[in-house]
Amino acid sequence: VQLQASGGGMAQPGGSLRLFCGASGRTYNAFNIAWWRQVPGKEREFVASINWRGNDASYGDSVKRRFIISKDMSTDAATLQMNSLKSEDTAVYFCAAGRGPFGTDRYRSSYYEYWGQGTQVTVSS
C-alpha cells in the first residue's frame, strides 16, 4: 500500500484546510487510518484516527472540536477537515494506515504499517 497525502498549503489563523489521503497498490478499506503531524525538533503528534468502518473517530486534545476526520468507503480516501486553524497547527501532516485491533494502539505511531510522504500545513497571518 502506498499512501499519498495532499491538500496542504497556507492558511490564515481562523481559516480552514482539507487534507486528503489516498492509496494505491492495494485497497485499504480494511485499514484503520490516522493523521499525525510533526514539527522540526519535536516528536510526531497524533492528530486524529478513524477505524476501517468509518464509524469510530478519535482526536488529539489540541484539535478536538476543530478537526474532523472522515473516510469514504467507496473510494478508500480519507480526509481531514481542519477548521479554526491556529499558528500552532503548522506542521508536516502524515497519513498512516494500520490493521488489527484499534484500541489504545491507535495513539501509537508504531501501530501503523504504512505512511504517506507528508504534506506541509502553514498557518500564518
Side-chain angles (χ1 to χ4, degrees), residues 1-5 21-24 28 33-34 95-98 114-118:
V1 175
Q2 292 81 43
L3 300 181
Q4 181 76 27
C21 182
S24 61
Y28 75 138
I33 307 298
C95 64
Y114 304 100
W115 291 81
Q117 84 289 359

Side-chain angles (χ1 to χ4, degrees), residues 5-62:
S6 61
M10 293 190 65
Q12 292 186 340
S16 299
L17 284 173
R18 181 177 293 179
L19 303 184
F20 301 91
C21 182
S24 61
R26 174 181 173 184
T27 182
Y28 75 138
N29 62 0
F31 285 78
N32 303 310
I33 307 298
W35 288 94
W36 291 72
R37 66 187 183 186
Q38 190 168 25
V39 297
K42 292 189 176 181
E43 292 186 358
R44 196 164 289 189
E45 177 189 8
F46 173 83
V47 176
S49 66
I50 192 164
N51 68 334
W52 67 277
R53 293 181 177 177
N55 62 358
D56 177 14
S58 298
Y59 298 91
D61 288 341
S62 61

Side-chain angles (χ1 to χ4, degrees), residues 14-17 65-68 81-86 89:
S16 299
L17 284 173
R65 293 175 292 280
R66 298 190 298 122
F67 291 11
I68 301 172
Q81 177 67 41
M82 303 186 295
N83 302 317
S84 301
L85 285 165
K86 304 176 181 179
D89 294 320

